[in-house]
Amino acid sequence: MNTMEAMLASLPDQYRWAADLTSPSLRAATGALVCGMGGSGIAGDVAGDVAAGAPVFVRKGYGIPGWAERLRPLVVAVSYSGNTEETLSGVEAADRAGLAIAAVSSGGALSRLARDHGWPLVEVPGGLQPRAAFGYLTGAVMRILESAGLVGETGLVEAATVTDELLGADLDGPGRRLADDLAEGLAGRITLIVASGSAAAAAYRWKTQINENAKSPAFTTTIPETDHNEIVGWSTLGSAIRRTVGVVALRDTHEPPRVAARFEPTLGRLSEGASLVGEVWAQGEHPLARIASLCVIGDMVSLRLARNAAVDPVPVEAIEVLKRELGET
Amino acid sequence: MNTMEAMLASLPDQYRWAADLTSPSLRAATGALVCGMGGSGIAGDVAGDVAAGAPVFVRKGYGIPGWAERLRPLVVAVSYSGNTEETLSGVEAADRAGLAIAAVSSGGALSRLARDHGWPLVEVPGGLQPRAAFGYLTGAVMRILESAGLVGETGLVEAATVTDELLGADLDGPGRRLADDLAEGLAGRITLIVASGSAAAAAYRWKTQINENAKSPAFTTTIPETDHNEIVGWSTLGSAIRRTVGVVALRDTHEPPRVAARFEPTLGRLSEGASLVGEVWAQGEHPLARIASLCVIGDMVSLRLARNAAVDPVPVEAIEVLKRELGET
């Protein structure tokens, strides 16, 4: 196992770690705004998809949206390093607006700010790539939303179980063969991930993992919106493009019937211009478990893509160089 | 001018039509949920970006989000045909939940429902492709949000002016040369549109217009999130991919300095794997005018792409076939 594969093997224990946390002490909230970027912000996307019944929105950028001052959500700031400048600017704006704040971080400025201000803080174990701390970050956000009365049962224990089963011992579980097959079909291609709304966060996680681990392009599209524009976009360009793009569908066992009915004809239209590579079905019952089961296959696909292309999944030099150019710490 | 070009030439008058509407009669709302798909839903994306200070969210799918029952937004149902099944299902759910509803349509079931229930209805002129009614639909949504106290000055008159200037007489204005140059660079390629958050709706409009008018693939990415994953995705695949993807940046004159500073290094990273084709700067002052100025260039690019590829921009057969397969009316 390389470094990133070893981090992936720890994912079930990350969910369990979060399930075993002492509940953060929080007042009841009417909604939440998760501020976070990249591998930290994805925790907000997942929590938002799981919460569904509660207003959980995600801010990926500087500051906070103007409406936050009206709706007064609990602001959950998530930055693995604790030093993400966009997230810190959101925290500053939230504090200025007098909003309740909770923080998730492994250290850095965000942890210091939380301690100084007495904000609830879930400090996650450090030393990982932010995207490899997915279970810690998602779990911490879920526990915060649970304490604020915005989600009921978190689903973290089931997420650990399904992830464990798919990974298997030494990453040789039933998810492995599926991931290897998909990676073979996606090699050297742009990946297009098709999902329904309930799996949109999982699709985005696939995209970012393929970007960062395999250093390859990937995009997402969401059914039913796909059927109103995307499917027309594949009928003109010729076989050169077809060879370039590989389509993977993420299927949720709980798709509403009218959504489920759209997959086959949608994939049929897309296949006129792109190559269908495969389908992945969610496992488990709780929404978090289902999302986690889709995400872990994407993790494995991205690492297999990297291995097949002899790419080290760990370094993300472009991100580091850009941060230096922008004078970020 | 072909049919779609003639429809595009009517865009400034569409904004003026909306500016001249009698104000719809609506109670003050604390927020809005715009339900709409494709060329209708985009009106909600634009309105959401313009409103900024008010909570205006968009639903692209069946039903309404669970949180709508808690936050009780004004539901603005937008369906050009009036028969979009996802939007009608959202209206049904909103009605069942006792939410206030306003409708935008050119007829069909949505207009009938609005009349039967006495919901405020803005009926827009019919007979166009939904995506060619962008000015009517966006304008109608803006006027509804204005009446509900969620936006101040709508910016529709300035949107008409900047669009008029860029289009020029017989679509031969200053936007034409820019659009022609961009279309030349994007020919036969997958388009990747890079924008900051304030231009995200414009970027999505570009994507869907290129999909539907030019029948070509297009995707979007939003700065600063781009810098946390997307930029790594272009460093491994070789020159075959580079030739396949063309990047266009949409620039807003009102980008915050830290966002503006990211464009050059971000485009630099992307150019390692994709071809930079060009940059488009927003015109005008009001947020709606700036978004409209970016959108109209995208409209022209999509039509020029279609013309250059000898593709008729009007028919979107894949969408119609799929609707028939699903048994929609």
Side-chain angles (χ1 to χ4, degrees), chain A residues 7 10 14 17 79-82 105-108 111 122-130 132-133 136-137:
Chain A
M7 292 188 209
S10 78
Q14 295 185 22
W17 174 90
S79 167
Y80 186 71
S81 69
S105 178
S106 72
S111 283
V122 177
E123 206 152 46
V124 300
L128 300 171
Q129 289 287 319
Y136 290 132
L137 297 170

Side-chain angles (χ1 to χ4, degrees), chain A residues 62-64 69 75 87-99 101:
Chain A
Y62 293 88
I64 54 174
E69 297 206 27
V75 171
T87 310
L88 291 173
S89 106
V91 165
E92 198 187 313
D95 190 38
R96 219 164 34 226
L99 302 180
I101 300 173

Side-chain angles (χ1 to χ4, degrees), chain A residues 29-31 36-39 52-57 60-62 65-68 70-71 84-86 149-150 187-190 192 204 207-208 210-212 214-237 240-241 244-245 256 258-259 261-262 265-266 269 272 309 311 315-319 321-323 325-328, chain B residues 29-31 36-39 52-57 60-62 65-68 70-71 84-86 149-150 187-190 192 204 207-208 210-212 214-237 240-241 244-245 256 258-259 261-262 265-266 269 272 309 311 315-319 321-323 325-328:
Chain A
T30 54
M37 308 300 299
V56 175
F57 302 108
K60 300 193 176 187
Y62 293 88
W67 54 256
R70 289 201 201 187
L71 293 189
T84 313
E85 73 166 41
E86 296 95 320
L150 293 167
R189 286 189 161 134
I190 297 171
L192 176 60
Y204 188 67
K207 172 217 157 42
T208 60
I210 291 173
N211 287 163
E212 293 189 77
K215 331 294 181 209
S216 289
F219 298 99
T220 67
T221 184
T222 307
I223 286 180
E225 174 71 1
T226 308
D227 298 340
H228 294 266
N229 34 63
E230 183 73 56
I231 53 166
V232 198
W234 297 92
S235 45
T236 295
L237 296 186
I241 300 285
T244 305
V245 178
R258 287 304 282 171
V259 170
R262 288 175 176 274
T266 302
R269 290 300 98 68
E272 290 167 18
V311 167
V316 284
E317 208 192 321
I319 294 175
V321 169
L322 187 132
K323 281 187 181 170
E325 286 174 1
L326 289 167
E328 283 185 50
Chain B
T30 55
M37 308 299 299
V56 175
F57 302 108
K60 300 193 176 187
Y62 293 88
W67 55 257
R70 289 202 201 187
L71 294 188
T84 313
E85 73 166 40
E86 296 95 319
L150 293 167
R189 286 189 161 133
I190 297 171
L192 176 60
Y204 188 67
K207 172 218 157 41
T208 59
I210 292 173
N211 287 163
E212 292 189 78
K215 331 293 180 210
S216 289
F219 298 100
T220 67
T221 183
T222 307
I223 287 180
E225 174 71 1
T226 308
D227 298 340
H228 294 267
N229 34 62
E230 183 73 56
I231 53 167
V232 198
W234 297 93
S235 45
T236 294
L237 296 186
I241 300 285
T244 305
V245 178
R258 287 303 282 171
V259 170
R262 287 175 177 274
T266 301
R269 289 301 97 67
E272 289 166 20
V311 167
V316 284
E317 208 191 321
I319 295 175
V321 169
L322 187 133
K323 281 187 182 171
E325 286 174 2
L326 289 167
E328 283 185 50

Side-chain angles (χ1 to χ4, degrees), chain A residues 14-211:
Chain A
Q14 295 185 22
Y15 291 123
R16 281 186 203 104
W17 174 90
D20 292 342
L21 275 178
T22 308
S23 289
S25 173
L26 280 153
R27 295 220 186 117
T30 54
L33 175 69
V34 181
C35 295
M37 308 300 299
S40 299
I42 185 72
D45 296 322
V46 171
D49 279 5
V50 173
V56 175
F57 302 108
V58 184
R59 174 71 164 187
K60 300 193 176 187
Y62 293 88
I64 54 174
W67 54 256
E69 297 206 27
R70 289 201 201 187
L71 293 189
R72 308 201 71 72
L74 166 67
V75 171
V76 184
V78 188
S79 167
Y80 186 71
S81 69
N83 296 320
T84 313
E85 73 166 41
E86 296 95 320
T87 310
L88 291 173
S89 106
V91 165
E92 198 187 313
D95 190 38
R96 219 164 34 226
L99 302 180
I101 300 173
V104 177
S105 178
S106 72
L110 183 56
S111 283
R112 277 197 307 278
L113 277 169
R115 287 212 182 81
D116 290 351
H117 289 78
W119 301 328
L121 166 68
V122 177
E123 206 152 46
V124 300
L128 300 171
Q129 289 287 319
R131 65 188 180 282
F134 179 78
Y136 290 132
L137 297 170
T138 302
V141 171
M142 290 300 300
R143 293 302 306 276
I144 286 172
L145 297 182
E146 178 195 35
S147 290
L150 293 167
V151 298
E153 219 278 286
T154 62
L156 282 163
V157 172
E158 194 191 351
T161 306
V162 297
T163 305
D164 232 347
E165 282 169 11
L166 288 166
L167 285 174
D170 300 321
L171 303 187
D172 206 21
R176 167 77 177 271
R177 182 171 304 181
L178 175 57
D180 286 357
D181 285 350
L182 292 169
E184 199 169 309
L186 295 171
R189 286 189 161 134
I190 297 171
T191 301
L192 176 60
I193 305 130
V194 183
S196 65
S198 62
Y204 188 67
R205 171 70 174 173
W206 272 63
K207 172 217 157 42
T208 60
Q209 288 289 79
I210 291 173
N211 287 163

Side-chain angles (χ1 to χ4, degrees), chain B residues 14-60:
Chain B
Q14 295 185 22
Y15 291 123
R16 282 186 203 104
W17 174 91
D20 292 341
L21 274 178
T22 308
S23 289
S25 173
L26 281 152
R27 294 219 187 119
T30 55
L33 175 69
V34 181
C35 295
M37 308 299 299
S40 299
I42 185 72
D45 296 323
V46 171
D49 279 5
V50 173
V56 175
F57 302 108
V58 184
R59 174 71 164 187
K60 300 193 176 187

